[in-house]
Amino acid sequence: MSENRLAAETSPYLIQHKDNPVHWWPWGPEAFAQAKASGKPILLSVGYAACHWCHVMAHESFEDRDVAAVMNELFVNIKVDREERPDVDQIYMGALQQLGEQGGWPLTMFLTPEGAPFWGGTYFPKTAKYGRPGFTDVLFQVSRAYGESPDKVAHNTDAILTRLQAAARPAGKTVLALADLDKAAGQIAGLFDRAHGGLRGAPKFPQSGLLELLWRAGTRTGDEHLKAVTAFTLNRMCEGGIYDHLGGGFSRYSVDEMWLVPHFEKMLYDNAQLLELLALAYAETGDELFLTRARETVGWLKREMLTPEGAFAASLDADSEGHEGKFYVWTAEEIVSVLGRADAEEFAAFYDVSDEGNWEGSIILNRTKFGDVSMVEEARLGALKAKLQAAREKRVRPGLDDKVLADWNGLMIAALARAGALLDEPEWVELAARAFRAVTHLMVKDGVLGHSYRAGKLLLPGLASDLAAMARAGIALHEATGDADALEAATAFVETLERDHLDPETGAYFLTSAAADALVVRPFSTLDEALPNYNAVAADALIRLAVLTGRDDLRSRGDRIIAALSGDAAQNPLAHASLLNVLDTRLRLAEIVAVGPARATFADAALRLPFLDRVVVRAGDAAALPAGSLARARAESAPPEGAAFVCVAERCSLPVTDPEDLAGVIRDMRG
């Protein structure tokens, strides 16, 4: 057997490293047994397929035989795909931060043979530069410290693990109200860049949870400024280089404050969250730019991210042919060669095209400086973009990480179902339904949802993030279509959360299942990262399921999570937007119940209302509603042809007989 043991793995990231001269092990008991038998410490390297600096460190060090020889002599080397094992990544990223270091990828951590972290960093150059020590120097120094100073190593590991365990305990509970949400929104809005949108400074990330928080606050308070902050940020992103103006879809982040220069990787989860925001913004403002970008992003999703089974792949790499962004950037000469001189000049006026370029001598297509573009101009530009897109397709493509992640798919399925229903795009809803069927078919084994699937290999058991996001997806699909199977699956997912992930001390959920292999600490988080926090997603699903099923015990679970995380959210609202958004849902959720022969008409009208703070329930008659439904008694008075009832804060309306009146009734019910 080769001493590099990654060839049998299915993760595209691990397979990228299968030919390294490093004696890599995948994460697992065999690697730890080897470390214990050899007495060597562990070098843990965590990254992901679309990570640019991961590729740089791989080329500089992991592909270098001399560096690899040092690694092999001094350490047992473990390579981890953070997307496949976010639980492992969360623990050791937290350990790095406890050491006072800023996190990032690649993550390079040094562990005892038992898995306890004692030192680490992120990217290390092969030789000292950028103010960072050279990697081989680090290897020798860490190995020497491990062998000669065991007491110091033990002290480090004890201190780090103690702090990790303390960090995993939420702060004390507090009671948050809508006034607290309004205050937080005002403070956060003040942190936004008035010139370019997004949080001030660079790099700039989409921060979808914060944008949703401001949007909700604007809706709740009537403060149009808060919605304008969100809409302006979306506009700048839609016109910036972070958006792929030819192929659709958003990159992970912008390295500058103008959204011009992206880090070119495209992640499924970013595009899911942004699709929801674009749909909400278009429905409210009627700005065609938001609808266009939403449609183009779904077009990218269908064209480039669909797996053969109908699920969605994880990400597209930033690099191609060894260079970041090479697939996406242009020269003025290349554009002329495709479009011809006259059309190229017209195109250049809109898309910041110049002979000198706008990034390292190349051109990142963007419209940050142009201003409004009319629909007539958009149509003309669309034909030119199609020509450039066809030419770009002949280039060497960035790598596709085609593993299917349940949590990322859950976010995209929910986004497609919600946005598709809101904007009357039935194809999007069907795309969501197909992906939901694919995930539940491929990734549920003996009733247990897995986390990652690729090439017939399923990683079990799944994480709390998987169960929460797929519950969210099932709820969104059920609302959009009335599919009872989707609702049943969502309910099963939250029951598994309660059984296998509950932290009895807090009432919230651990990331890992009780059935999973033990780690040095059991991961628990309240913070939003690039994805909304899984506890917040779970709470939102439970609150909505309580309405759909009539089960008050599910609502109580959601309340329990909100209470557990409220102290942390009060102390740091910037990092807890998802939890604050769930609290808004809990306090303002409108239950719209459509009953009788005309229920489809009423349900369709309800689905055209913003999805953040409403749930749509369908029933043939009052008796078909769940026994615990708030509207059941009211629905008995429905006229023979059918009606809708709106329930807010334990109160239900009289029958609504005109679907066009629903929005007004909800507004009146909320006061």
Side-chain angles (χ1 to χ4, degrees):
M1 179 179 178
S2 168
E3 292 187 279
N4 182 322
R5 296 164 174 82
L6 300 183
E9 296 299 304
T10 55
S11 158
Y13 176 65
L14 298 186
I15 291 171
Q16 286 175 1
H17 293 271
K18 69 181 177 61
D19 295 321
N20 293 168
V22 179
H23 297 168
W24 290 118
W25 292 77
W27 180 273
E30 296 85 359
F32 287 92
Q34 175 65 19
K36 291 172 184 175
S38 67
K40 295 179 181 179
I42 290 168
L43 190 162
L44 174 67
S45 177
V46 183
Y48 58 101
C51 168
H52 172 68
W53 285 103
C54 300
H55 300 326
V56 172
M57 190 166 178
H59 296 322
E60 290 180 346
S61 295
F62 303 151
E63 295 172 7
D64 184 287
R65 293 195 174 275
D66 293 335
V67 177
V70 177
M71 294 172 66
N72 297 336
E73 179 184 353
L74 301 180
F75 299 92
V76 171
N77 303 288
I78 299 179
K79 176 60 77 172
V80 166
D81 180 345
R82 71 172 293 260
E83 297 169 359
E84 195 172 59
R85 293 301 304 260
D87 50 342
V88 172
D89 177 67
Q90 184 181 117
I91 290 171
Y92 295 107
M93 187 63 73
L96 180 65
Q97 291 164 349
Q98 294 301 329
L99 288 167
E101 298 288 334
Q102 188 167 351
W105 297 276
L107 173 64
T108 307
M109 290 298 293
F110 297 95
L111 323 178
T112 68
E114 293 73 33
F118 62 90
W119 197 75
T122 54
Y123 162 76
F124 291 103
K126 180 181 174 182
T127 56
K129 56 183 175 180
Y130 312 129
R132 298 173 184 265
F135 188 48
T136 50
D137 294 335
V138 168
L139 297 175
F140 283 120
Q141 290 171 15
V142 170
S143 177
R144 186 179 304 115
Y146 182 80
E148 297 177 0
S149 307
D151 292 343
K152 184 176 180 181
V153 169
H155 174 77
N156 271 17
T157 59
D158 289 345
I160 292 169
L161 289 175
T162 298
R163 291 198 295 266
L164 281 175
Q165 289 162 348
R169 299 292 90 193
K173 297 178 181 178
T174 189
V175 177
L176 294 173
L178 290 178
D180 298 299
L181 301 190
D182 297 342
K183 180 180 178 182
Q187 293 171 337
I188 290 169
L191 301 175
F192 271 62
D193 183 339
R194 294 173 67 90
H196 306 295
L199 291 176
R200 288 195 293 267
K204 269 194 165 81
F205 290 82
Q207 300 283 7
S208 295
L210 293 178
L211 294 175
E212 180 183 322
L213 183 147
L214 297 179
W215 192 265
R216 284 175 178 264
T219 299
R220 188 171 59 243
T221 65
D223 185 346
E224 290 302 318
H225 169 68
L226 295 174
K227 283 188 174 179
V229 171
T230 295
F232 178 65
T233 297
L234 286 174
N235 174 282
R236 294 295 79 199
M237 291 175 62
C238 286
E239 299 290 44
I242 192 173
Y243 183 75
D244 180 356
H245 288 263
L246 299 185
F250 293 85
S251 295
R252 177 72 196 92
Y253 64 90
S254 170
V255 303
D256 63 286
E257 65 179 8
M258 294 177 59
W259 305 104
L260 171 62
V261 181
H263 194 33
F264 290 88
E265 65 205 52
K266 289 185 188 176
M267 317 301 289
L268 185 67
Y269 55 77
D270 286 316
N271 285 280
Q273 295 172 85
L274 288 167
L275 178 60
E276 289 195 0
L277 289 170
L278 290 170
L280 289 167
Y282 173 70
E284 172 87 7
T285 67
D287 188 333
E288 292 287 340
L289 175 67
F290 298 140
L291 179 61
T292 298
R293 294 294 181 261
R295 286 174 171 166
E296 290 171 347
T297 295
V298 175
W300 161 75
L301 190 71
K302 290 163 52 182
R303 187 179 63 251
E304 300 187 33
M305 302 301 285
L306 267 179
T307 69
E309 301 88 354
F312 301 114
S315 65
L316 279 170
D317 205 333
D319 296 12
S320 57
E321 300 183 78
H323 297 281
E324 184 181 12
K326 185 172 183 179
F327 180 76
Y328 298 101
V329 300
W330 295 82
T331 65
E333 184 179 347
E334 288 173 332
I335 292 173
V336 170
S337 70
V338 175
L339 299 182
R341 181 71 58 185
D343 284 348
E345 288 179 359
E346 179 183 1
F347 186 83
F350 287 87
Y351 284 96
D352 194 21
V353 175
S354 64
D355 290 337
E356 61 273 16
N358 53 28
W359 178 65
E360 298 183 356
S362 297
I363 297 161
I364 298 171
L365 298 178
N366 75 95
R367 300 196 315 205
T368 55
K369 302 173 185 175
F370 188 82
D372 291 337
V373 180
S374 71
M375 288 298 100
V376 173
E377 290 169 323
E378 286 282 21
R380 170 66 180 153
L381 291 170
L384 302 182
K385 289 195 295 181
K387 291 182 180 180
L388 291 170
Q389 169 72 351
R392 195 178 76 173
E393 285 299 309
K394 299 174 184 176
R395 297 176 178 177
V396 176
R397 293 189 56 79
L400 173 70
D401 187 332
D402 61 351
K403 66 177 176 288
V404 177
L405 299 172
D407 48 0
W408 298 13
N409 269 261
L411 293 179
M412 183 56 82
I413 292 165
L416 286 165
R418 288 173 160 186
L422 180 66
L423 303 183
D424 194 20
E425 295 278 358
E427 185 186 6
W428 299 5
V429 178
E430 178 49 39
L431 196 63
R434 183 185 175 204
F436 190 82
R437 291 192 297 268
V439 172
T440 52
H441 173 70
L442 296 172
M443 301 185 68
V444 177
K445 183 177 181 181
D446 299 328
V448 177
L449 177 66
H451 171 64
S452 174
Y453 174 87
R454 184 177 183 273
K457 183 177 180 181
L458 176 62
L459 183 64
L460 288 163
L463 304 168
S465 58
D466 300 306
L467 293 161
M470 284 300 293
R472 173 193 184 108
I475 293 164
L477 260 185
H478 174 73
E479 283 196 79
T481 66
D483 182 359
D485 290 342
L487 181 63
E488 183 179 349
T491 306
F493 292 142
V494 299
E495 295 297 357
T496 302
L497 263 176
E498 187 74 3
R499 184 189 69 222
D500 294 343
H501 294 262
L502 178 65
D503 175 10
E505 186 175 331
T506 66
Y509 295 123
F510 288 112
L511 179 62
T512 52
S513 169
D517 293 338
L519 300 167
V520 289
V521 295
R522 195 171 178 192
F524 180 101
S525 175
T526 71
L527 300 171
D528 292 334
E529 295 178 345
L531 280 73
N533 178 261
Y534 65 89
N535 269 302
V537 177
D540 183 79
L542 288 162
I543 290 163
R544 293 173 188 273
L545 272 176
V547 171
L548 292 165
T549 63
R551 288 178 52 185
D552 285 338
D553 64 309
L554 298 181
R555 184 179 293 105
S556 297
R557 293 182 202 174
D559 288 345
R560 190 186 68 203
I561 295 170
I562 292 171
L565 275 59
S566 59
D568 286 330
Q571 291 180 14
N572 186 4
L574 200 66
H576 291 85
S578 295
L579 192 278
L580 298 178
N581 290 336
V582 173
L583 180 58
D584 177 65
T585 297
R586 175 66 178 90
L587 296 176
R588 299 180 64 256
L589 188 66
E591 175 183 352
I592 306 171
V593 180
V595 297
R599 61 186 178 277
T601 301
F602 286 99
D604 287 346
L607 290 169
R608 303 290 186 272
L609 301 176
F611 47 76
L612 294 178
D613 51 13
R614 59 99 173 115
V615 171
V616 180
V617 181
R618 299 171 177 82
D621 53 29
L625 289 167
S629 172
L630 192 62
R632 186 167 180 171
R634 284 282 195 187
E636 291 175 355
S637 64
E641 65 274 14
F645 297 84
V646 176
C647 302
V648 177
E650 312 302 319
R651 297 180 298 112
C652 293
S653 70
L654 295 171
V656 180
T657 56
D658 184 346
E660 297 300 317
D661 292 340
L662 280 172
V665 172
I666 292 172
R667 188 165 52 249
D668 293 342
M669 293 286 292
R670 286 177 174 152

